Every structure is written in C-alpha cells, then in structure tokens.
Amino acid sequence: MDFIKVDDAACKRDGMCADVCPTGCIELDAEGLPRQTKGAMCIACGHCVAVCPHEALGNSNLDAAGMLPLPESLPDAASVRGLMLSRRSVRVYKDTPVPAATLAGLLDTARHAPTAVNTQNVAYAACADPAKTREAARLCIEWLRGAGVYPHMVAAWDKGRDAALRGAPAIVVAHCPADYAWGETDCVIAVSYLELFAAASGLGTCWAGLLTRAAQASADLARLLAIPEGSVARAALMIGYPKYRYRAVPSRRAAKVTWL
Ligand SMILES: Cc1cc2nc3c(=O)[nH]c(=O)nc-3n(C[C@H](O)[C@H](O)[C@H](O)COP(=O)(O)O)c2cc1C
C-alpha cells in the first residue's frame, strides 16, 4: 500500500518533494505529479511533507500530529555564535534542583538532533533527583576504586568532595543499542543539542566522560540508570544551575584546517 498520498488538485507540480527526498521515494509522472517509487525505502524523515508549500502531500509513515510549525524568527548568526562560545563546562552548581519538567524540555529539543538514516535510536536516562544523581556519582567512584584508576578522585570522594559529578543535581545519559553502528555519533550530537539548549535556558552542563565510561563498565551503575540489556551509554552530562558567571571566553588553538 502506498504511504505517499498526493492531493492532485492542490499539487503545483513543482517537484520539490521528489527533489528533497533522501532515498528517491518519489518520482514525477508524465504530468509532473509526484508518485511513490516502486520499492521505495522511506526513512520517515518528513522532508516531503514539510517542504510542500501547498500541503498537497501526506506520508502515512509520519506522525502528522508531531509536525511542528517553523519558529516565526530565528536568532542571527552573531547570537548563535555568542551562545556557542559562552557555553562552558560548569563544575560548580547551586544547591537548586533542576525541575524534571525543565529536563524534559531539554530532551524534547534534543530529540530533533539529526540521526544516521533518521533511525532515532537514541534513548536517555534522565535524573532530576539530586540524591539519585549522587548515588550515580558514588557508583562511578566505586568503579574507579575497583579498577584502581584515578586514585585522586577516589581520595577526594572519601574526603567528601565529588570529583565525578561535581555535586550536580541532575544528569542525562544518552544510550543506544550496542550493535547500532552510529550509536556514539548520534548520542553525542543529541547531547550537544541538549547542552546548547541548556545553556540558552540558563542551565550549566558539563560532559561527564567518567560517568559514560563507568556506565559502560559497571553493572550496578547501568542498573541505576536503567540502561537496557544490549544498550550502551555513549554520552552523559552533569546538569544544574551555575554558581558562577564567566567574564570572558577562554582562548582556544586556531582550527587545524587544510584548505584544498
Ligand atoms: C567527551 C568529553 C568528556 C568529558 N568528561 C569530563 C569529565 O568527566 N569531567 C569534567 O570535569 N569535564 C569533562 N569534560 C569537559 C572538558 O574538560 C571541557 O570540555 C574542556 O576542558 C573545555 O572546556 P569548555 O567545555 O568550558 O570549553 C569532558 C568533555 C568532553 C567533550
């Protein structure tokens, strides 16, 4: 059965839907009307529907209710660059919990990040409970203790300092099925989206490489994070309200570019 439905009367035969389709699902017939290609392999990216200015095309592989209107205005390049440059790895947080609804808002934005072949295979462990986040930090440290690595972090924990998650009140861990080849890439892109939106929302974040590694290696931590059997943690963030404001953007090395 065809998943592409065209309203022939509304269609202006501009071929935009066929042009933007990444997999060649749509071809134009002799009259210039879009028709589903035989053996079409749709990845449900939604481009065909979203690009049509005449709303002449439907695709039953998509959740029509999930289509969103475009924002009325977009930030200019200078504002986006300002956001990107002012985002910092925040390691000192206020004692204020992050509401679960706020975390949910970040995740709702991250789900719009690109994924390879639009697989949307990224799943998340999200924790807005400071006590559970602290338990995740403890399990990171216990993993370090058992593995005999980073003894300074273990010693700091034993003295009451959380060098693993820096006392952040919340965490997000992105995970994917272990056998999904683009898992790490998709998770990292999604968490990058989340991090930038968090910064724009007044939150501070820090990539939690140790949490990612520990969640891969410690069954106790994977259980706490409810990472399903067969899935692997690929990216993680500490999240909270920053205690300090930075007055400058730190210097970075020039981009290493070979111009061809
Ligand atoms: C993959 C990755 C893992 C990281 N893991 C940690 C971590 O476990 N703990 C930490 O304090 N910072 C961690 N960071 C933060 C980096 O140290 C930080 O990005 C870098 O020093 C640059 O600072 P900036 O993010 O403020 O530009 C990590 C960053 C990345 C990209």
Side-chain angles (χ1 to χ4, degrees), residues 143-250:
W143 172 67
L144 286 180
R145 200 191 299 278
V149 284
Y150 293 142
H152 63 286
M153 287 178 116
V154 177
W157 178 269
D158 292 341
K159 284 187 193 142
R161 206 173 74 80
D162 171 10
L165 297 179
R166 301 276 169 169
I171 47 172
V172 163
V173 180
H175 54 85
C176 262
D179 59 359
Y180 171 52
W182 290 104
E184 181 152 27
T185 306
D186 287 0
C187 285
V188 167
I189 296 171
V191 169
S192 299
Y193 261 49
L194 193 151
E195 179 180 42
L196 283 174
F197 187 55
S201 308
L203 285 156
T205 59
C206 184
W207 285 77
L210 173 60
L211 178 61
T212 309
R213 284 286 151 81
Q216 292 168 354
S218 154
D220 288 343
L221 184 53
R223 203 170 308 114
L224 178 79
L225 296 170
I227 296 175
E229 192 73 27
S231 285
V232 184
R234 295 297 190 194
L237 282 184
M238 318 166 201
I239 306 178
Y241 293 97
K243 185 165 174 188
Y244 305 121
R245 243 181 88 103
Y246 288 82
R247 63 160 186 84
V249 174

Side-chain angles (χ1 to χ4, degrees), residues 42-258:
C42 174
I43 61 169
C45 68
H47 285 216
C48 53
V49 177
V51 80
C52 179
H54 317 294
E55 299 183 44
L57 188 139
N59 183 334
S60 60
N61 289 331
L62 299 170
D63 165 23
M67 299 286 289
L68 301 175
L70 277 187
E72 301 234 316
S73 65
L74 296 174
D76 59 21
S79 304
V80 175
R81 181 176 154 85
L83 172 68
M84 293 170 117
L85 266 58
S86 60
R87 174 220 56 85
R88 287 274 68 72
S89 289
V90 169
R91 298 187 181 85
V92 192
Y93 298 96
K94 287 183 184 163
D95 239 354
T96 316
V98 179
T102 303
L103 267 194
L106 303 183
L107 293 160
D108 188 53
T109 298
R111 77 190 167 92
H112 290 277
T115 57
V117 204
N118 196 35
T119 38
Q120 302 178 60
N121 257 338
V122 181
Y124 304 92
C127 181
D129 176 346
K132 276 197 194 141
T133 302
R134 186 167 169 75
E135 177 60 5
R138 188 186 74 76
L139 290 173
C140 286
I141 296 295
E142 288 317 312
W143 172 67
L144 286 180
R145 200 191 299 278
V149 284
Y150 293 142
H152 63 286
M153 287 178 116
V154 177
W157 178 269
D158 292 341
K159 284 187 193 142
R161 206 173 74 80
D162 171 10
L165 297 179
R166 301 276 169 169
I171 47 172
V172 163
V173 180
H175 54 85
C176 262
D179 59 359
Y180 171 52
W182 290 104
E184 181 152 27
T185 306
D186 287 0
C187 285
V188 167
I189 296 171
V191 169
S192 299
Y193 261 49
L194 193 151
E195 179 180 42
L196 283 174
F197 187 55
S201 308
L203 285 156
T205 59
C206 184
W207 285 77
L210 173 60
L211 178 61
T212 309
R213 284 286 151 81
Q216 292 168 354
S218 154
D220 288 343
L221 184 53
R223 203 170 308 114
L224 178 79
L225 296 170
I227 296 175
E229 192 73 27
S231 285
V232 184
R234 295 297 190 194
L237 282 184
M238 318 166 201
I239 306 178
Y241 293 97
K243 185 165 174 188
Y244 305 121
R245 243 181 88 103
Y246 288 82
R247 63 160 186 84
V249 174
S251 61
R252 293 286 182 262
R253 284 195 287 271
K256 296 184 196 84
V257 184
T258 306

